[in-house]
Amino acid sequence: MDHRELLKNFYLFTDATANDLRALEAIGEPRVCIAGDLVYHAGQVADALFLIEMGTVDITPMGKETVFATMGSGQGFGELAFFERGPRPATAYAREPTHLLRIPFARFSEVLAERPELALLVYRNACAFFAKHLRRLALTLNHRYL
């Protein structure tokens, strides 16, 4: 998968312009992992988000041994820490040979500062994502959501 295509299909960057996608691609750092490689460790200060070009990554909450989520090709992870900075609440390991695109938060912030329209788009997409999941959670808990 082409990196620009990978970026375009990630929910934060949906509807980004071709120029914005090129700017994001320019800050992306390709990374190849073998099965069992640590992507990041719980408690580590979060400094990047990751998109999976090919492969699978398991996410395990801090202090647990059970996999909480498995992310696959075309998906991303670690992005929530961009909005709420601090230590990672989970550990991420490559389950199999995996190709990642690492987007460092510092460079991502610079791109957003230089491109206010992209910043607005990213934050709107993030809000829509969070709202969708909050609605699902409310329904799951059998509460009414207004």
Side-chain angles (χ1 to χ4, degrees), residues 10-89:
F10 185 56
Y11 77 94
L12 285 180
F13 310 133
T14 300
D15 297 327
T17 67
N19 285 337
D20 288 337
L21 292 171
R22 278 191 286 281
L24 292 166
E25 184 179 34
I27 65 168
E29 301 169 351
R31 181 171 169 192
V32 178
C33 301
I34 60 171
D37 274 358
L38 177 70
V39 178
Y40 57 72
H41 194 276
Q44 177 181 1
V45 174
D47 66 350
L49 66 92
F50 298 85
L51 302 179
I52 304 171
E53 183 177 0
M54 179 187 75
T56 309
V57 173
D58 286 333
I59 312 292
T60 306
M62 186 181 305
K64 304 289 182 184
E65 293 182 22
T66 304
V67 172
F68 168 76
T70 299
M71 311 303 286
S73 299
Q75 294 183 301
F77 61 98
E79 77 278 11
L80 298 183
F82 180 75
F83 301 102
E84 184 183 30
R85 301 293 172 97
R88 299 269 189 201

Side-chain angles (χ1 to χ4, degrees), residues 7 27 31 36 46 60 68 72 81 91 97 102 117 123 137 144:
L7 289 159
I27 65 168
R31 181 171 169 192
T60 306
F68 168 76
T91 298
R102 180 179 183 272
E117 296 85 8
Y123 284 101
L137 179 61
R144 294 180 108 174

Side-chain angles (χ1 to χ4, degrees), residues 132-146:
K132 175 181 161 186
H133 285 80
L134 283 173
R135 273 191 221 99
R136 281 188 187 162
L137 179 61
L139 290 173
T140 300
L141 296 174
N142 200 22
H143 288 43
R144 294 180 108 174
Y145 182 78
L146 302 176

Side-chain angles (χ1 to χ4, degrees), residues 95-111:
R95 177 186 277 193
E96 61 184 342
T98 300
H99 293 249
L100 300 171
L101 185 63
R102 180 179 183 272
I103 308 287
F105 289 161
R107 304 227 22 229
F108 184 40
S109 293
E110 290 170 5
V111 168

